[in-house]
Short mmCIF file of all heavy atoms in Angstrom, two decimals:
data_model
loop_
_atom_site.label_atom_id
_atom_site.label_comp_id
_atom_site.label_asym_id
_atom_site.label_seq_id
_atom_site.Cartn_x
_atom_site.Cartn_y
_atom_site.Cartn_z
N ASP A 11 9.41 -126.43 24.17
CA ASP A 11 9.56 -126.18 22.69
C ASP A 11 9.33 -124.69 22.40
O ASP A 11 9.65 -124.31 21.32
CB ASP A 11 8.60 -126.94 21.88
CG ASP A 11 8.87 -128.45 21.98
OD1 ASP A 11 10.13 -128.82 22.28
OD2 ASP A 11 8.02 -129.34 21.88
N LEU A 12 8.71 -123.93 23.31
CA LEU A 12 8.50 -122.52 23.01
C LEU A 12 9.53 -121.64 23.35
O LEU A 12 10.45 -122.01 24.11
CB LEU A 12 7.24 -122.05 23.93
CG LEU A 12 5.93 -122.81 23.60
CD1 LEU A 12 4.86 -122.36 24.70
CD2 LEU A 12 5.49 -122.64 22.22
N GLU A 13 9.69 -120.47 22.58
CA GLU A 13 10.72 -119.41 22.88
C GLU A 13 10.58 -118.89 24.24
O GLU A 13 9.31 -118.91 24.71
CB GLU A 13 10.63 -118.29 21.78
CG GLU A 13 10.84 -118.76 20.41
CD GLU A 13 10.67 -117.69 19.47
OE1 GLU A 13 10.61 -116.51 19.87
OE2 GLU A 13 10.68 -117.95 18.25
N PRO A 14 11.66 -118.43 24.94
CA PRO A 14 11.53 -117.83 26.26
C PRO A 14 10.48 -116.71 26.37
O PRO A 14 9.67 -116.58 27.35
CB PRO A 14 12.96 -117.36 26.49
CG PRO A 14 13.80 -118.27 25.73
CD PRO A 14 12.98 -118.57 24.44
N ARG A 15 10.45 -115.80 25.31
CA ARG A 15 9.45 -114.79 25.33
C ARG A 15 7.98 -115.32 25.43
O ARG A 15 7.18 -114.65 26.10
CB ARG A 15 9.66 -113.91 24.15
CG ARG A 15 8.73 -112.77 23.94
CD ARG A 15 9.08 -111.86 22.85
NE ARG A 15 10.36 -111.31 23.09
CZ ARG A 15 10.76 -110.09 22.76
NH1 ARG A 15 9.93 -109.28 22.21
NH2 ARG A 15 11.98 -109.56 23.05
N THR A 16 7.76 -116.31 24.63
CA THR A 16 6.39 -116.85 24.62
C THR A 16 6.08 -117.50 26.02
O THR A 16 4.95 -117.36 26.58
CB THR A 16 6.28 -117.89 23.49
OG1 THR A 16 6.57 -117.23 22.26
CG2 THR A 16 4.88 -118.42 23.42
N ASN A 17 7.03 -118.25 26.51
CA ASN A 17 6.82 -118.81 27.89
C ASN A 17 6.48 -117.68 28.90
O ASN A 17 5.64 -117.94 29.72
CB ASN A 17 8.08 -119.64 28.29
CG ASN A 17 8.03 -121.09 27.75
OD1 ASN A 17 6.99 -121.67 27.81
ND2 ASN A 17 9.11 -121.61 27.41
N PHE A 18 7.29 -116.71 28.82
CA PHE A 18 7.07 -115.66 29.78
C PHE A 18 5.76 -115.03 29.59
O PHE A 18 4.98 -114.75 30.62
CB PHE A 18 8.17 -114.50 29.51
CG PHE A 18 8.16 -113.37 30.50
CD1 PHE A 18 8.71 -113.53 31.82
CD2 PHE A 18 7.38 -112.28 30.23
CE1 PHE A 18 8.81 -112.50 32.70
CE2 PHE A 18 7.37 -111.22 31.08
CZ PHE A 18 8.05 -111.33 32.39
N ALA A 19 5.26 -114.81 28.45
CA ALA A 19 3.88 -114.31 28.14
C ALA A 19 2.86 -115.33 28.72
O ALA A 19 1.91 -114.80 29.26
CB ALA A 19 3.69 -114.00 26.65
N LEU A 20 2.96 -116.55 28.42
CA LEU A 20 1.99 -117.47 28.91
C LEU A 20 1.92 -117.61 30.37
O LEU A 20 0.90 -117.66 30.92
CB LEU A 20 2.35 -118.89 28.40
CG LEU A 20 2.03 -119.07 26.83
CD1 LEU A 20 2.57 -120.40 26.32
CD2 LEU A 20 0.53 -119.02 26.57
N VAL A 21 3.08 -117.59 31.05
CA VAL A 21 3.04 -117.59 32.59
C VAL A 21 2.46 -116.35 33.02
O VAL A 21 1.60 -116.37 34.04
CB VAL A 21 4.45 -117.69 33.09
CG1 VAL A 21 4.60 -117.38 34.57
CG2 VAL A 21 5.05 -119.06 32.79
N ASN A 22 2.67 -115.20 32.53
CA ASN A 22 1.95 -113.97 32.87
C ASN A 22 0.46 -114.10 32.75
O ASN A 22 -0.28 -113.69 33.61
CB ASN A 22 2.53 -112.77 32.06
CG ASN A 22 3.44 -111.90 32.74
OD1 ASN A 22 3.21 -111.51 33.87
ND2 ASN A 22 4.56 -111.68 32.08
N PHE A 23 0.09 -114.62 31.59
CA PHE A 23 -1.33 -114.78 31.26
C PHE A 23 -2.06 -115.66 32.36
O PHE A 23 -3.06 -115.35 32.84
CB PHE A 23 -1.53 -115.26 29.87
CG PHE A 23 -3.05 -115.63 29.68
CD1 PHE A 23 -3.97 -114.60 29.42
CD2 PHE A 23 -3.42 -116.83 29.61
CE1 PHE A 23 -5.28 -114.90 29.17
CE2 PHE A 23 -4.79 -117.24 29.32
CZ PHE A 23 -5.73 -116.20 29.04
N MET A 24 -1.40 -116.88 32.61
CA MET A 24 -2.00 -117.80 33.47
C MET A 24 -2.08 -117.25 34.90
O MET A 24 -3.11 -117.46 35.58
CB MET A 24 -1.22 -119.18 33.46
CG MET A 24 -1.45 -119.96 32.15
SD MET A 24 -0.61 -121.51 32.26
CE MET A 24 1.09 -121.09 31.92
N GLU A 25 -1.04 -116.58 35.34
CA GLU A 25 -1.09 -116.00 36.67
C GLU A 25 -2.17 -114.96 36.78
O GLU A 25 -2.91 -114.89 37.88
CB GLU A 25 0.24 -115.42 36.99
CG GLU A 25 0.38 -115.03 38.50
CD GLU A 25 0.24 -116.28 39.42
OE1 GLU A 25 0.83 -117.22 39.11
OE2 GLU A 25 -0.45 -116.06 40.39
N THR A 26 -2.31 -114.11 35.76
CA THR A 26 -3.37 -113.08 35.78
C THR A 26 -4.74 -113.81 35.97
O THR A 26 -5.57 -113.29 36.68
CB THR A 26 -3.33 -112.29 34.52
OG1 THR A 26 -2.15 -111.58 34.46
CG2 THR A 26 -4.40 -111.27 34.41
N GLN A 27 -4.97 -114.90 35.26
CA GLN A 27 -6.22 -115.68 35.29
C GLN A 27 -6.44 -116.13 36.71
O GLN A 27 -7.54 -116.19 37.17
CB GLN A 27 -6.26 -116.76 34.20
CG GLN A 27 -6.24 -116.15 32.76
CD GLN A 27 -7.40 -115.26 32.54
OE1 GLN A 27 -8.53 -115.65 32.73
NE2 GLN A 27 -7.13 -114.11 32.15
N ILE A 28 -5.34 -116.74 37.33
CA ILE A 28 -5.56 -117.28 38.66
C ILE A 28 -5.87 -116.17 39.57
O ILE A 28 -6.87 -116.45 40.37
CB ILE A 28 -4.18 -117.95 39.09
CG1 ILE A 28 -3.99 -119.24 38.26
CG2 ILE A 28 -4.16 -118.18 40.59
CD1 ILE A 28 -2.56 -119.80 38.35
N ILE A 29 -5.38 -115.07 39.52
CA ILE A 29 -5.76 -113.98 40.42
C ILE A 29 -7.23 -113.52 40.20
O ILE A 29 -7.87 -113.28 41.18
CB ILE A 29 -4.69 -112.81 40.19
CG1 ILE A 29 -3.34 -113.19 40.83
CG2 ILE A 29 -5.21 -111.52 41.03
CD1 ILE A 29 -2.22 -112.26 40.46
N GLU A 30 -7.51 -113.42 38.97
CA GLU A 30 -8.96 -113.07 38.66
C GLU A 30 -9.99 -114.05 39.14
O GLU A 30 -10.93 -113.67 39.74
CB GLU A 30 -9.13 -112.95 37.10
CG GLU A 30 -8.55 -111.57 36.59
CD GLU A 30 -8.78 -111.47 35.11
OE1 GLU A 30 -9.76 -112.06 34.50
OE2 GLU A 30 -8.03 -110.65 34.46
N VAL A 31 -9.63 -115.36 39.06
CA VAL A 31 -10.51 -116.46 39.51
C VAL A 31 -10.61 -116.35 41.05
O VAL A 31 -11.72 -116.42 41.58
CB VAL A 31 -10.17 -117.90 39.07
CG1 VAL A 31 -10.81 -118.92 39.83
CG2 VAL A 31 -10.28 -118.01 37.54
#
Side-chain angles (χ1 to χ4, degrees):
D11 296 333
L12 298 173
E13 296 177 13
R15 180 177 294 221
T16 304
N17 273 322
F18 185 84
L20 285 171
V21 169
N22 257 311
F23 173 76
M24 288 187 282
E25 191 61 45
T26 300
Q27 295 302 301
I28 289 166
I29 292 168
E30 285 182 19
V31 167

